[in-house]
């Protein structure tokens, strides 16, 4: 008799399985389990997307439409052909949004080196038809979103009687928060090598979704998925950008066209001007306060172009997964809550960015908590804990969410909104930071907390503001509850990276569009937190749990609380409010 193969074996029940006891773990939960490829990374032996080489390969760069949805009206390639090393000029078709991850289109220069391809692109003379988004302007768009946020929108959560609470309020506190479009700027810009030959396709690229890339390549080339192979290199930074495979599709199209392997390399300018942006937003918050100084009503209106516009016809309204990231799941102990979504149309490509819509929501809500604390004469931490209320698991039917809550793909019964966990990380981070201690003039502490990816994170930022407005952050104290912590060293690394990215986002990250074009181009005008201004010491406390408690998200939840904690710290140090990301004129 043929033995039963593993795939044909019956699936055992949980009761039939024998698990190790926690005390038997050799690696899980231990503090210093290092990366297996760390040595190769620090010694330059690691292979990234731009490192792969094949015999006979070509190199390509692409001149893409400067305005999303634009197209080539005409072009003259004669000067480009004169550049030494340039071999072919190929036009890549583009498509109007929604187009998922299809290439923007444009003119590709195929050459014997990346340098030659870049120089060939510079020598091209292209006349563009800018299309329907030619008038897109950041400042006028912000004003449009703000005006929309001041009007009633589509109700997405109605708990109790928010209108009644505001009608009876002794005081109403109002604030608006704005975040500009942002771009991912991974350290390695997008790069992909494709070899399309004999009815098959093979890809080498830094992609966050290798299977999704395989599907998209097969569909575009009209091949069966079984003949498409995707080799995933080290990402060189992703943050959501490399989950979109437009640069891979460019390489595949060009390889098929020229009959050789082709490496498409994006420049930093390409990366900043032609990526998938994190959405911009305006969040308007209103709090109804009774005669005793208690917040009894909460209204929030969110206005932001939706990521859904990348995949289907733009409705101007956000998707449930966007609304579920820090808006309709607000965990505050307030009897009357109203949440509304205002309509605004997208004018650029919107894509996932680390922590996604949690970023503007945490910034707005946690900054508003700081504003309420000042307005009502409370300490920041005291105000935050008062709003969170007692430890409890929120009852979804009582929350008044109009549509089903998007809970990061997890069943709510196993991953409920647990305010006890949120309170605990607030208390832990505050205690570790020495909350309440006296600081010199020009220094301050700020606190913020947020639930995302079913984890709970609180952050305290210690800021110093110099007389010229320069900001430095000597200390950050973060506490995270991510269930059973499998690898504490990686969790600490993620929180440290989140602090650097959070500071970058808060101080520098903002794309300015003028006539549909991105104004910024490289790190001189789209800056990062650098060694002279970055979070110097990040102290991470991890809530301990046994193996029986589900492990939860770590890669993204550390980012959302940082910007509001920094904003609250700046207010404590200077008395100045930061209501727009990036912060300006501190």
């Amino acid at each position: 008799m043929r033995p039963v193969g593993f795939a044909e074996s019956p699936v055992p029940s949980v009761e039939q399985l024998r698990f190790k006891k926690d005390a038997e773990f050799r690696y899980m939960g231990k503090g210093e389990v290092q990366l297996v490829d760390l040595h190769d990374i620090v010694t330059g032996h690691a292979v990234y997307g731009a490192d792969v080489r094949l015999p006979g390969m070509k190199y390509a760069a692409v001149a893409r439409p400067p305005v999303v949805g634009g197209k080539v009206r005409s072009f003259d390639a004669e000067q480009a052909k004169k550049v030494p090393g340039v071999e072919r000029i190929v036009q890549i078709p583009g498509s109007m949004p929604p187009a998922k991850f299809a290439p923007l289109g444009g003119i590709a220069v195929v050459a014997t080196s990346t340098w030659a391809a870049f120089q060939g692109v510079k020598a091209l003379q292209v006349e563009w038809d800018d299309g329907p988004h030619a008038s897109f302007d950041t400042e006028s768009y912000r004003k449009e979103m703000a005006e929309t946020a001041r009007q009633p929108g589509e109700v997405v959560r109605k708990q109790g009687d928010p209108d009644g609470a505001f009608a009876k309020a002794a005081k109403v506190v109002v604030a608006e928060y704005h975040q500009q479009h942002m771009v991912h700027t991974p350290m390695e810009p997008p790069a992909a090598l494709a070899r399309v030959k004999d009815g098959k396709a093979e890809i080498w690229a830094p992609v966050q979704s290798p299977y999704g890339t395989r599907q998209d390549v097969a569909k575009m080339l009209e091949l069966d998925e079984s003949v498409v192979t995707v080799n995933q290199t080290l990402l060189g930074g992703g943050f959501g950008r490399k989950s979109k495979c437009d640069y891979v599709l460019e390489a595949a199209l060009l390889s098929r066209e020229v009959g050789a392997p082709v490496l498409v390399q994006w420049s930093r300018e390409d990366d900043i001007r032609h990526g998938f942006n994190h959405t911009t937003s305006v969040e308007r918050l209103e709090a109804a306060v009774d005669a005793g100084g208690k917040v009894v009503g909460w209204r929030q209106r969110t206005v932001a172009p939706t990521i859904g516009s990348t995949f289907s016809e733009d409705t101007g309204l956000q998707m449930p997964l966007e609304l579920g990231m820090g808006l309709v799941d607000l965990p505050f102990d307030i009897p009357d809550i109203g949440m509304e979504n205002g309509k605004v149309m997208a004018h650029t490509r919107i894509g996932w960015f680390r922590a996604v819509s949690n970023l503007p929501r945490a910034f707005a809500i946690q900054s508003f908590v700081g504003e309420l604390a000042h307005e009502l004469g409370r300490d920041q931490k005291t105000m935050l804990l008062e709003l969170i209320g007692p430890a409890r698991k929120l009852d979804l039917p009582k929350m008044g969410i109009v549509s089903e809550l998007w809970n990061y793909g997890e069943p709510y019964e196993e991953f409920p909104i647990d305010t006890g966990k949120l309170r605990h990380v607030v208390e832990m981070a505050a205690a570790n930071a020495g909350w309440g201690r006296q600081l010199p003039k020009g220094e301050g502490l700020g606190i913020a907390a947020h639930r995302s990816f079913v984890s709970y994170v609180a952050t305290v930022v210690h800021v110093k503001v110099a007389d010229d407005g320069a900001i430095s952050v000597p200390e950050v104290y973060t506490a995270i509850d991510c269930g059973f912590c499998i690898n504490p060293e990686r969790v600490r690394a993620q929180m440290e990276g989140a602090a650097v990215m959070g500071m970058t986002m808060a101080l520098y990250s903002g794309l300015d569009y003028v006539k549909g074009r991105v104004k910024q181009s490289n790190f001189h005008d789209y800056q990062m937190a650098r060694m002279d201004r970055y979070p110097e010491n990040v102290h991470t406390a991890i809530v301990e749990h046994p193996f029986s408690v589900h492990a939860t998200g770590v890669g993204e939840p550390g980012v959302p609380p940082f910007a509001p904690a920094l904003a609250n710290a700046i207010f404590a140090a200077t008395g100045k409010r930061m209501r727009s990301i990036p912060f300006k004129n501190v």
Side-chain angles (χ1 to χ4, degrees), residues 104-142:
L104 286 167
I107 309 298
V109 175
V110 182
T112 56
S113 70
T114 295
W115 176 254
F118 281 173
Q119 298 309 304
V121 166
K122 288 180 180 179
L124 284 171
Q125 298 179 34
V126 186
E127 183 181 355
W128 301 101
D129 177 349
D130 289 340
H133 303 298
S135 62
F136 179 43
D137 177 84
T138 293
E139 183 57 26
S140 61
Y141 195 62
R142 183 195 65 79

mmCIF file of all heavy atoms in Angstrom, residues 104-142:
data_model
loop_
_atom_site.group_PDB
_atom_site.id
_atom_site.type_symbol
_atom_site.label_atom_id
_atom_site.label_comp_id
_atom_site.label_asym_id
_atom_site.label_seq_id
_atom_site.Cartn_x
_atom_site.Cartn_y
_atom_site.Cartn_z
ATOM 1 N N LEU A 104 2.887 53.974 -15.280
ATOM 2 C CA LEU A 104 2.386 55.295 -15.651
ATOM 3 C C LEU A 104 2.491 55.547 -17.146
ATOM 4 O O LEU A 104 1.834 56.432 -17.679
ATOM 5 C CB LEU A 104 3.173 56.377 -14.903
ATOM 6 C CG LEU A 104 2.856 56.547 -13.420
ATOM 7 C CD1 LEU A 104 3.919 57.409 -12.757
ATOM 8 C CD2 LEU A 104 1.479 57.166 -13.237
ATOM 9 N N GLY A 105 3.351 54.761 -17.823
ATOM 10 C CA GLY A 105 3.609 54.990 -19.233
ATOM 11 C C GLY A 105 4.797 55.923 -19.415
ATOM 12 O O GLY A 105 5.459 56.318 -18.457
ATOM 13 N N GLY A 106 5.092 56.245 -20.661
ATOM 14 C CA GLY A 106 6.188 57.151 -20.946
ATOM 15 C C GLY A 106 7.151 56.606 -21.971
ATOM 16 O O GLY A 106 6.811 55.705 -22.747
ATOM 17 N N ILE A 107 8.369 57.145 -21.974
ATOM 18 C CA ILE A 107 9.389 56.769 -22.950
ATOM 19 C C ILE A 107 10.569 56.139 -22.213
ATOM 20 O O ILE A 107 11.164 56.758 -21.326
ATOM 21 C CB ILE A 107 9.883 57.987 -23.746
ATOM 22 C CG1 ILE A 107 8.702 58.781 -24.331
ATOM 23 C CG2 ILE A 107 10.844 57.552 -24.835
ATOM 24 C CD1 ILE A 107 7.860 57.991 -25.306
ATOM 25 N N ALA A 108 10.901 54.898 -22.564
ATOM 26 C CA ALA A 108 12.008 54.182 -21.944
ATOM 27 C C ALA A 108 13.248 54.277 -22.816
ATOM 28 O O ALA A 108 13.175 54.165 -24.046
ATOM 29 C CB ALA A 108 11.638 52.725 -21.723
ATOM 30 N N VAL A 109 14.387 54.448 -22.156
ATOM 31 C CA VAL A 109 15.679 54.421 -22.828
ATOM 32 C C VAL A 109 16.401 53.156 -22.377
ATOM 33 O O VAL A 109 16.646 52.967 -21.182
ATOM 34 C CB VAL A 109 16.517 55.667 -22.489
ATOM 35 C CG1 VAL A 109 17.915 55.557 -23.104
ATOM 36 C CG2 VAL A 109 15.812 56.920 -22.980
ATOM 37 N N VAL A 110 16.724 52.280 -23.326
ATOM 38 C CA VAL A 110 17.417 51.024 -23.038
ATOM 39 C C VAL A 110 18.871 51.182 -23.455
ATOM 40 O O VAL A 110 19.172 51.617 -24.586
ATOM 41 C CB VAL A 110 16.763 49.847 -23.781
ATOM 42 C CG1 VAL A 110 17.468 48.535 -23.438
ATOM 43 C CG2 VAL A 110 15.271 49.757 -23.429
ATOM 44 N N ALA A 111 19.790 50.833 -22.550
ATOM 45 C CA ALA A 111 21.203 51.117 -22.794
ATOM 46 C C ALA A 111 22.085 50.014 -22.223
ATOM 47 O O ALA A 111 21.598 49.033 -21.653
ATOM 48 C CB ALA A 111 21.569 52.465 -22.184
ATOM 49 N N THR A 112 23.390 50.226 -22.356
ATOM 50 C CA THR A 112 24.368 49.243 -21.866
ATOM 51 C C THR A 112 24.743 49.477 -20.414
ATOM 52 O O THR A 112 25.487 48.686 -19.839
ATOM 53 C CB THR A 112 25.635 49.296 -22.732
ATOM 54 O OG1 THR A 112 26.149 50.647 -22.717
ATOM 55 C CG2 THR A 112 25.330 48.883 -24.162
ATOM 56 N N SER A 113 24.253 50.551 -19.813
ATOM 57 C CA SER A 113 24.492 50.820 -18.398
ATOM 58 C C SER A 113 23.369 51.700 -17.867
ATOM 59 O O SER A 113 22.689 52.406 -18.635
ATOM 60 C CB SER A 113 25.839 51.517 -18.188
ATOM 61 O OG SER A 113 25.797 52.846 -18.686
ATOM 62 N N THR A 114 23.202 51.682 -16.562
ATOM 63 C CA THR A 114 22.191 52.548 -15.962
ATOM 64 C C THR A 114 22.522 54.013 -16.178
ATOM 65 O O THR A 114 21.648 54.839 -16.454
ATOM 66 C CB THR A 114 22.061 52.245 -14.452
ATOM 67 O OG1 THR A 114 21.569 50.912 -14.293
ATOM 68 C CG2 THR A 114 21.109 53.200 -13.766
ATOM 69 N N TRP A 115 23.810 54.363 -16.068
ATOM 70 C CA TRP A 115 24.216 55.759 -16.285
ATOM 71 C C TRP A 115 23.846 56.230 -17.679
ATOM 72 O O TRP A 115 23.297 57.321 -17.854
ATOM 73 C CB TRP A 115 25.718 55.897 -16.046
ATOM 74 C CG TRP A 115 26.229 57.281 -16.334
ATOM 75 C CD1 TRP A 115 26.961 57.688 -17.403
ATOM 76 C CD2 TRP A 115 26.015 58.446 -15.535
ATOM 77 N NE1 TRP A 115 27.237 59.030 -17.328
ATOM 78 C CE2 TRP A 115 26.663 59.532 -16.198
ATOM 79 C CE3 TRP A 115 25.343 58.700 -14.349
ATOM 80 C CZ2 TRP A 115 26.672 60.821 -15.687
ATOM 81 C CZ3 TRP A 115 25.339 59.993 -13.845
ATOM 82 C CH2 TRP A 115 25.995 61.037 -14.505
ATOM 83 N N ALA A 116 24.128 55.401 -18.677
ATOM 84 C CA ALA A 116 23.791 55.777 -20.049
ATOM 85 C C ALA A 116 22.281 55.934 -20.210
ATOM 86 O O ALA A 116 21.805 56.849 -20.896
ATOM 87 C CB ALA A 116 24.326 54.727 -21.031
ATOM 88 N N ALA A 117 21.512 55.047 -19.566
ATOM 89 C CA ALA A 117 20.052 55.151 -19.646
ATOM 90 C C ALA A 117 19.564 56.457 -19.019
ATOM 91 O O ALA A 117 18.687 57.140 -19.563
ATOM 92 C CB ALA A 117 19.403 53.951 -18.969
ATOM 93 N N PHE A 118 20.138 56.817 -17.859
ATOM 94 C CA PHE A 118 19.750 58.068 -17.204
ATOM 95 C C PHE A 118 20.079 59.277 -18.091
ATOM 96 O O PHE A 118 19.275 60.203 -18.222
ATOM 97 C CB PHE A 118 20.471 58.208 -15.866
ATOM 98 C CG PHE A 118 19.872 57.409 -14.735
ATOM 99 C CD1 PHE A 118 20.514 57.344 -13.509
ATOM 100 C CD2 PHE A 118 18.674 56.746 -14.868
ATOM 101 C CE1 PHE A 118 19.974 56.625 -12.456
ATOM 102 C CE2 PHE A 118 18.110 56.013 -13.829
ATOM 103 C CZ PHE A 118 18.773 55.959 -12.614
ATOM 104 N N GLN A 119 21.258 59.263 -18.691
ATOM 105 C CA GLN A 119 21.635 60.382 -19.540
ATOM 106 C C GLN A 119 20.768 60.449 -20.794
ATOM 107 O O GLN A 119 20.434 61.529 -21.281
ATOM 108 C CB GLN A 119 23.116 60.269 -19.933
ATOM 109 C CG GLN A 119 24.075 60.320 -18.749
ATOM 110 C CD GLN A 119 23.805 61.507 -17.831
ATOM 111 O OE1 GLN A 119 23.801 62.657 -18.265
ATOM 112 N NE2 GLN A 119 23.553 61.218 -16.559
ATOM 113 N N GLY A 120 20.385 59.288 -21.292
ATOM 114 C CA GLY A 120 19.498 59.255 -22.444
ATOM 115 C C GLY A 120 18.134 59.848 -22.135
ATOM 116 O O GLY A 120 17.551 60.586 -22.950
ATOM 117 N N VAL A 121 17.619 59.563 -20.942
ATOM 118 C CA VAL A 121 16.332 60.141 -20.534
ATOM 119 C C VAL A 121 16.435 61.663 -20.456
ATOM 120 O O VAL A 121 15.531 62.386 -20.891
ATOM 121 C CB VAL A 121 15.873 59.540 -19.189
ATOM 122 C CG1 VAL A 121 14.737 60.377 -18.586
ATOM 123 C CG2 VAL A 121 15.410 58.106 -19.375
ATOM 124 N N LYS A 122 17.546 62.160 -19.923
ATOM 125 C CA LYS A 122 17.726 63.610 -19.831
ATOM 126 C C LYS A 122 17.749 64.267 -21.211
ATOM 127 O O LYS A 122 17.341 65.424 -21.366
ATOM 128 C CB LYS A 122 19.018 63.925 -19.084
ATOM 129 C CG LYS A 122 18.968 63.638 -17.591
ATOM 130 C CD LYS A 122 20.294 63.992 -16.941
ATOM 131 C CE LYS A 122 20.267 63.700 -15.451
ATOM 132 N NZ LYS A 122 21.561 64.026 -14.795
ATOM 133 N N ALA A 123 18.250 63.519 -22.216
ATOM 134 C CA ALA A 123 18.377 64.085 -23.563
ATOM 135 C C ALA A 123 17.082 64.003 -24.366
ATOM 136 O O ALA A 123 16.966 64.636 -25.420
ATOM 137 C CB ALA A 123 19.494 63.363 -24.321
ATOM 138 N N LEU A 124 16.104 63.234 -23.889
ATOM 139 C CA LEU A 124 14.826 63.141 -24.597
ATOM 140 C C LEU A 124 14.115 64.489 -24.622
ATOM 141 O O LEU A 124 14.177 65.258 -23.660
ATOM 142 C CB LEU A 124 13.913 62.121 -23.916
ATOM 143 C CG LEU A 124 14.201 60.635 -24.119
ATOM 144 C CD1 LEU A 124 13.328 59.810 -23.175
ATOM 145 C CD2 LEU A 124 13.953 60.227 -25.572
ATOM 146 N N GLN A 125 13.423 64.738 -25.710
ATOM 147 C CA GLN A 125 12.567 65.915 -25.803
ATOM 148 C C GLN A 125 11.128 65.421 -25.923
ATOM 149 O O GLN A 125 10.724 64.918 -26.964
ATOM 150 C CB GLN A 125 12.970 66.764 -27.013
ATOM 151 C CG GLN A 125 14.397 67.304 -26.911
ATOM 152 C CD GLN A 125 14.797 68.125 -28.122
ATOM 153 O OE1 GLN A 125 13.967 68.812 -28.713
ATOM 154 N NE2 GLN A 125 16.071 68.045 -28.500
ATOM 155 N N VAL A 126 10.400 65.555 -24.803
ATOM 156 C CA VAL A 126 9.035 65.008 -24.742
ATOM 157 C C VAL A 126 8.045 66.140 -24.501
ATOM 158 O O VAL A 126 8.251 66.995 -23.641
ATOM 159 C CB VAL A 126 8.898 63.959 -23.621
ATOM 160 C CG1 VAL A 126 7.512 63.315 -23.676
ATOM 161 C CG2 VAL A 126 9.992 62.899 -23.720
ATOM 162 N N GLU A 127 6.982 66.145 -25.263
ATOM 163 C CA GLU A 127 5.866 67.060 -25.020
ATOM 164 C C GLU A 127 4.738 66.239 -24.406
ATOM 165 O O GLU A 127 4.312 65.229 -24.967
ATOM 166 C CB GLU A 127 5.402 67.714 -26.316
ATOM 167 C CG GLU A 127 4.290 68.737 -26.106
ATOM 168 C CD GLU A 127 3.814 69.381 -27.395
ATOM 169 O OE1 GLU A 127 4.417 69.092 -28.452
ATOM 170 O OE2 GLU A 127 2.843 70.145 -27.342
ATOM 171 N N TRP A 128 4.277 66.679 -23.237
ATOM 172 C CA TRP A 128 3.281 65.911 -22.488
ATOM 173 C C TRP A 128 1.893 66.524 -22.606
ATOM 174 O O TRP A 128 1.747 67.749 -22.605
ATOM 175 C CB TRP A 128 3.658 65.846 -21.006
ATOM 176 C CG TRP A 128 4.996 65.231 -20.718
ATOM 177 C CD1 TRP A 128 6.158 65.882 -20.430
ATOM 178 C CD2 TRP A 128 5.302 63.831 -20.688
ATOM 179 N NE1 TRP A 128 7.169 64.986 -20.222
ATOM 180 C CE2 TRP A 128 6.675 63.716 -20.367
ATOM 181 C CE3 TRP A 128 4.562 62.666 -20.901
ATOM 182 C CZ2 TRP A 128 7.323 62.485 -20.248
ATOM 183 C CZ3 TRP A 128 5.194 61.442 -20.782
ATOM 184 C CH2 TRP A 128 6.554 61.353 -20.466
ATOM 185 N N ASP A 129 0.894 65.672 -22.669
ATOM 186 C CA ASP A 129 -0.497 66.068 -22.468
ATOM 187 C C ASP A 129 -0.787 65.768 -21.003
ATOM 188 O O ASP A 129 -0.824 64.610 -20.594
ATOM 189 C CB ASP A 129 -1.413 65.254 -23.388
ATOM 190 C CG ASP A 129 -2.885 65.562 -23.167
ATOM 191 O OD1 ASP A 129 -3.218 66.241 -22.174
ATOM 192 O OD2 ASP A 129 -3.708 65.098 -23.979
ATOM 193 N N ASP A 130 -0.960 66.806 -20.185
ATOM 194 C CA ASP A 130 -1.057 66.606 -18.737
ATOM 195 C C ASP A 130 -2.369 65.995 -18.285
ATOM 196 O O ASP A 130 -2.473 65.515 -17.156
ATOM 197 C CB ASP A 130 -0.834 67.930 -18.008
ATOM 198 C CG ASP A 130 0.614 68.385 -18.080
ATOM 199 O OD1 ASP A 130 1.489 67.531 -18.342
ATOM 200 O OD2 ASP A 130 0.873 69.582 -17.879
ATOM 201 N N GLY A 131 -3.383 65.998 -19.111
ATOM 202 C CA GLY A 131 -4.620 65.314 -18.758
ATOM 203 C C GLY A 131 -5.464 66.045 -17.733
ATOM 204 O O GLY A 131 -5.279 67.242 -17.464
ATOM 205 N N PRO A 132 -6.389 65.326 -17.083
ATOM 206 C CA PRO A 132 -7.406 65.970 -16.240
ATOM 207 C C PRO A 132 -6.910 66.483 -14.895
ATOM 208 O O PRO A 132 -7.642 67.192 -14.207
ATOM 209 C CB PRO A 132 -8.436 64.845 -16.041
ATOM 210 C CG PRO A 132 -7.648 63.583 -16.176
ATOM 211 C CD PRO A 132 -6.607 63.868 -17.214
ATOM 212 N N HIS A 133 -5.684 66.112 -14.478
ATOM 213 C CA HIS A 133 -5.210 66.533 -13.160
ATOM 214 C C HIS A 133 -4.171 67.648 -13.247
ATOM 215 O O HIS A 133 -3.418 67.878 -12.293
ATOM 216 C CB HIS A 133 -4.623 65.331 -12.415
ATOM 217 C CG HIS A 133 -5.593 64.195 -12.262
ATOM 218 N ND1 HIS A 133 -6.773 64.315 -11.559
ATOM 219 C CD2 HIS A 133 -5.570 62.922 -12.756
ATOM 220 C CE1 HIS A 133 -7.430 63.164 -11.603
ATOM 221 N NE2 HIS A 133 -6.731 62.307 -12.321
ATOM 222 N N ALA A 134 -4.139 68.350 -14.363
ATOM 223 C CA ALA A 134 -3.119 69.374 -14.596
ATOM 224 C C ALA A 134 -3.239 70.569 -13.662
ATOM 225 O O ALA A 134 -2.265 71.297 -13.463
ATOM 226 C CB ALA A 134 -3.194 69.851 -16.050
ATOM 227 N N SER A 135 -4.385 70.784 -13.075
ATOM 228 C CA SER A 135 -4.561 71.946 -12.201
ATOM 229 C C SER A 135 -4.435 71.596 -10.720
ATOM 230 O O SER A 135 -4.631 72.452 -9.850
ATOM 231 C CB SER A 135 -5.931 72.589 -12.446
ATOM 232 O OG SER A 135 -6.968 71.672 -12.131
ATOM 233 N N PHE A 136 -4.085 70.352 -10.406
ATOM 234 C CA PHE A 136 -3.995 69.924 -9.009
ATOM 235 C C PHE A 136 -2.960 70.756 -8.262
ATOM 236 O O PHE A 136 -1.815 70.874 -8.677
ATOM 237 C CB PHE A 136 -3.642 68.428 -8.954
ATOM 238 C CG PHE A 136 -3.503 67.881 -7.563
ATOM 239 C CD1 PHE A 136 -4.397 68.221 -6.561
ATOM 240 C CD2 PHE A 136 -2.465 67.003 -7.258
ATOM 241 C CE1 PHE A 136 -4.266 67.707 -5.285
ATOM 242 C CE2 PHE A 136 -2.328 66.474 -5.982
ATOM 243 C CZ PHE A 136 -3.231 66.828 -4.996
ATOM 244 N N ASP A 137 -3.394 71.320 -7.128
ATOM 245 C CA ASP A 137 -2.531 72.208 -6.347
ATOM 246 C C ASP A 137 -2.733 71.901 -4.864
ATOM 247 O O ASP A 137 -3.871 71.844 -4.373
ATOM 248 C CB ASP A 137 -2.886 73.668 -6.632
ATOM 249 C CG ASP A 137 -2.082 74.640 -5.803
ATOM 250 O OD1 ASP A 137 -0.957 74.959 -6.197
ATOM 251 O OD2 ASP A 137 -2.590 75.045 -4.729
ATOM 252 N N THR A 138 -1.637 71.690 -4.145
ATOM 253 C CA THR A 138 -1.709 71.256 -2.749
ATOM 254 C C THR A 138 -2.480 72.232 -1.869
ATOM 255 O O THR A 138 -3.349 71.832 -1.091
ATOM 256 C CB THR A 138 -0.288 71.058 -2.177
ATOM 257 O OG1 THR A 138 0.323 69.955 -2.845
ATOM 258 C CG2 THR A 138 -0.316 70.787 -0.684
ATOM 259 N N GLU A 139 -2.184 73.511 -1.973
ATOM 260 C CA GLU A 139 -2.791 74.471 -1.065
ATOM 261 C C GLU A 139 -4.289 74.626 -1.332
ATOM 262 O O GLU A 139 -5.092 74.650 -0.388
ATOM 263 C CB GLU A 139 -2.093 75.824 -1.171
ATOM 264 C CG GLU A 139 -2.611 76.872 -0.201
ATOM 265 C CD GLU A 139 -2.525 76.455 1.267
ATOM 266 O OE1 GLU A 139 -1.665 75.610 1.614
ATOM 267 O OE2 GLU A 139 -3.338 76.959 2.065
ATOM 268 N N SER A 140 -4.685 74.723 -2.584
ATOM 269 C CA SER A 140 -6.114 74.849 -2.874
ATOM 270 C C SER A 140 -6.861 73.563 -2.506
ATOM 271 O O SER A 140 -8.012 73.602 -2.073
ATOM 272 C CB SER A 140 -6.332 75.192 -4.351
ATOM 273 O OG SER A 140 -5.817 74.187 -5.189
ATOM 274 N N TYR A 141 -6.184 72.418 -2.648
ATOM 275 C CA TYR A 141 -6.792 71.136 -2.277
ATOM 276 C C TYR A 141 -6.999 71.060 -0.770
ATOM 277 O O TYR A 141 -8.038 70.572 -0.295
ATOM 278 C CB TYR A 141 -5.889 70.007 -2.753
ATOM 279 C CG TYR A 141 -6.510 68.626 -2.772
ATOM 280 C CD1 TYR A 141 -7.607 68.339 -3.569
ATOM 281 C CD2 TYR A 141 -5.963 67.593 -2.017
ATOM 282 C CE1 TYR A 141 -8.156 67.059 -3.606
ATOM 283 C CE2 TYR A 141 -6.496 66.310 -2.062
ATOM 284 C CZ TYR A 141 -7.598 66.049 -2.852
ATOM 285 O OH TYR A 141 -8.129 64.789 -2.892
ATOM 286 N N ARG A 142 -6.029 71.544 0.002
ATOM 287 C CA ARG A 142 -6.180 71.574 1.463
ATOM 288 C C ARG A 142 -7.389 72.411 1.852
ATOM 289 O O ARG A 142 -8.183 72.015 2.721
ATOM 290 C CB ARG A 142 -4.919 72.123 2.121
ATOM 291 C CG ARG A 142 -4.984 72.119 3.648
ATOM 292 C CD ARG A 142 -3.903 72.981 4.263
ATOM 293 N NE ARG A 142 -4.055 74.391 3.934
ATOM 294 C CZ ARG A 142 -4.923 75.206 4.530
ATOM 295 N NH1 ARG A 142 -5.722 74.760 5.481
ATOM 296 N NH2 ARG A 142 -5.005 76.473 4.158
#
